[in-house]
Amino acid sequence: MSSSAIPIQHYAQLDDAECAQRILAAKERLGERLVILGHHYQREEVFHYADFTGDSLKLSRQAATSKAEFIVFCGVHFMAEVADILSRPEQISILPDLSAGCSMADMANLASVEQAWRELAQVLDPDEQVTPVTYINSAADLKAFCGRHGGIVCTSSNARKVLEWSFAQREKVLFFPDQHLGRNTGYTMGIPLEEMVVWDFDLPLGGLSAEQIRAAKVILWKGFCSVHQMFQAEHIDRFKEKFPEAQVISHPESPFEVCRKSDHVGSTEYIINTVRDSAPGSRWLVGTELNLVNRLHQQFKHEGKQVHFMSPTVCMCSTMFRIDPQHLAWTLENLVAGQVVNRIVVPAEEAASARLALERMLEVSP
Ligand code: 13P
Ligand code: SF4
C-alpha cells in the first residue's frame, strides 16, 4: 500500500449501512473505470455490489474481456491472480482483503509439485507420459508449472473436457490440488477407481509403489476443500428418508460417495441454473457452500421451491467471508482518491507460462 493511502483502520467501525452509501458513491464516481466481479460464495452484503457474478470459469472470461481499468475481485486470492494474468498489462486487479485465500489452493505448492515431478521421473518419463492439470484453485506458479510442462488448468465446469484434452496429449494425468474433483471427473469418464491413485506429498514417491504409478491413469494430489469435505453420503440418506421426492445436487469438490448419491453434480453456476430451471414446488438438497445455498433459498422460495443445505453443521468458505463491506469501501474510496491498495501482481515470466495453461483451458472449454 502506498504511504498516502487511507488506512483500513478508518473503516473498521463503519456499519454496513454507511458502507453501502460510500460504496455506491465510489462506484458512481469510478464509473466504467471499475468492474466488480463477485463469486457465488461471496456473502450477500458484498455480493450485491458485483457488476458480474459467476463461477470460476465465467469470472475468468469476464476478467479476460473486461475493459475496466480496475478489476476488484470479491472472491479469493487465486481468482484475483487469474484476473491479473488474463487482463491487459495496464489493467489493475485488486483483492479487497489480502487474507482471503483458499485453503485447498494452499495444499499444493511449487516445491512439492516439482518434487513429485522429479520423483515420478524415477519411474517414468513425466514430460512424455504425464499431463499436469491444475485446478484453477491454485497459486499462479502452479499454473505456470503446467504451462511449462505441456499442462493445463481446469475449473469445476470444464474438468471433463480438460481431462479429455490431457489424455489426448499424454497417457496419464497428475491432477492437483483437489483429489475429489479429479476422482469424480475421472470416474464419470469411465476410469476405474483402481486406476486413480492418491499422491501423498508427505511421503517418498507419494506413498505409492513404482508398480502402482505405472498402472495409474490419474495421479490425484492429496488435497481437498475443507468446506465440501464436510458433506457426507449419510446426510443424503437421512434427507431422502424424509423427502424421497427431493433432488440432490452437489459440487464436484464433494467426496466421491456424495457425488455418486447426487442426482446432479456441477459447478456453482450449474447448480444455480439447475435449481432455477426446475419445476415450481420442487425440493432440493444442495451440497455446496452455505452463502450460495442461502441465496438459492431466498431467490426461489416465491416459486414454492424448497432449498436445503446438505450438512447439519455450518460450512462456509471462511476465507472468502473476509471480503466484507468495510474492505470493499476502503478499496473503492482509495481508488477514488487515486490510491491503489491490495493490487495483485503476478510476475511477468510466471504470468506468461500461467497464461499458456489458462488459454489452453479457455480453448477447450464449452
Ligand atoms: P466454481 O464456482 O468454479 O464452481 O468453484 C467453486 C469454488 O470452490 C471456488 O473456489
Ligand atoms: Fe477454496 Fe473451498 Fe473456499 Fe472454494 S470453497 S475458495 S475451494 S476453501
Side-chain angles (χ1 to χ4, degrees):
M1 175 174 38
S2 144
S3 56
S4 47
I6 314 163
I8 181 67
Q9 290 76 6
H10 292 197
Y11 293 77
Q13 303 306 323
L14 289 188
D15 62 26
D16 286 2
E18 178 150 9
C19 284
Q21 267 184 6
R22 293 169 67 161
I23 290 168
L24 292 174
K27 277 190 78 169
E28 179 86 23
R29 290 277 300 275
L30 291 162
E32 291 189 354
R33 295 174 71 203
L34 168 74
V35 68
I36 301 180
L37 304 183
H39 186 266
H40 292 307
Y41 293 161
Q42 190 66 72
R43 53 154 97 185
E44 200 52 42
E45 307 90 284
V46 167
F47 187 78
H48 64 269
Y49 297 118
D51 299 301
F52 296 97
T53 60
D55 63 8
S56 307
L57 180 64
K58 197 170 158 191
L59 292 175
S60 307
R61 287 206 163 110
Q62 199 60 51
T65 52
S66 166
K67 303 232 174 332
E69 187 180 341
F70 307 116
I71 302 172
V72 172
F73 221 120
C74 294
V76 288
H77 193 269
F78 73 80
M79 297 177 184
E81 278 189 335
V82 169
D84 181 55
I85 295 165
L86 291 179
S87 58
R88 294 188 314 280
E90 64 275 16
Q91 289 176 292
I92 291 175
S93 173
I94 293 172
L95 184 66
D97 185 340
L98 293 180
S99 69
C102 164
S103 56
M104 175 207 281
D106 292 344
M107 289 180 193
N109 61 48
L110 185 60
S112 53
V113 169
E114 281 183 336
Q115 183 175 335
W117 205 248
R118 279 195 303 276
E119 292 188 12
L120 285 172
Q122 297 166 16
V123 178
L124 35 77
D125 181 353
D127 278 297
E128 287 291 318
Q129 293 173 277
V130 185
T131 305
V133 179
T134 189
Y135 189 21
I136 196 162
N137 300 34
S138 59
D141 56 3
L142 289 181
K143 296 181 177 82
F145 175 91
C146 289
R148 287 196 300 276
H149 290 275
I152 187 164
V153 178
C154 78
T155 76
S156 60
S157 57
N158 58 22
R160 185 181 178 126
K161 284 266 177 230
V162 166
L163 283 192
E164 285 166 358
W165 178 91
S166 304
F167 287 123
Q169 318 304 310
R170 299 171 190 168
E171 69 204 63
K172 295 180 197 294
V173 159
L174 173 64
F175 191 96
F176 45 89
D178 185 21
Q179 59 172 300
H180 298 299
L181 177 63
R183 185 181 295 109
N184 287 324
T185 310
Y187 191 79
T188 60
M189 292 168 70
I191 303 172
L193 288 180
E194 316 78 76
E195 292 180 22
M196 295 190 274
V197 293
V198 176
W199 182 274
D200 184 341
F201 42 84
D202 284 327
L203 296 174
L205 212 58
L208 300 167
S209 66
E211 207 34 62
Q212 283 174 304
I213 291 171
R214 277 191 211 99
K217 194 104 183 94
V218 184
I219 301 165
L220 300 165
W221 199 257
K222 201 184 170 189
F224 58 87
C225 165
S226 44
V227 178
H228 291 84
Q229 181 84 348
M230 303 293 280
F231 303 126
Q232 294 166 17
E234 301 85 80
H235 298 151
I236 301 179
D237 294 340
R238 258 181 264 144
F239 190 79
K240 283 278 201 173
E241 274 167 27
K242 244 166 111 187
F243 303 110
E245 83 297 350
Q247 296 189 70
V248 182
I249 188 162
S250 303
H251 194 278
E253 289 173 15
S254 306
F256 180 71
E257 299 72 25
V258 168
C259 290
R260 286 297 86 218
K261 287 197 174 215
S262 298
D263 302 294
H264 310 264
V265 176
S267 80
T268 53
E269 189 78 10
Y270 173 84
I271 291 173
I272 294 165
N273 293 343
T274 307
V275 174
R276 183 197 61 204
D277 297 342
S278 64
S282 50
R283 188 182 294 276
W284 288 91
L285 182 67
V286 184
T288 197
E289 202 268 348
L290 185 61
N291 283 291
L292 171 53
V293 181
N294 284 343
R295 189 173 308 118
L296 285 172
H297 168 73
Q298 289 300 335
Q299 212 171 339
F300 297 115
K301 65 181 180 194
H302 71 280
E303 294 176 22
K305 292 178 191 171
Q306 308 284 326
V307 177
H308 305 255
F309 186 56
M310 189 176 286
S311 170
T313 51
V314 172
C315 315
M316 263 190 355
C317 182
S318 54
T319 44
M320 201 174 300
F321 195 74
R322 291 179 182 158
I323 310 286
D324 55 16
Q326 289 70 23
H327 281 84
L328 186 58
W330 171 67
T331 304
L332 299 188
E333 290 197 338
N334 269 297
L335 290 179
V336 169
Q339 298 293 330
V340 173
V341 290
N342 287 7
R343 182 174 184 179
I344 302 297
V345 182
V346 178
E349 204 177 316
E350 187 174 301
S353 300
R355 195 175 304 115
L356 253 183
L358 280 162
E359 280 170 354
R360 286 177 190 137
M361 172 190 86
L362 292 173
E363 240 166 73
V364 304
S365 296

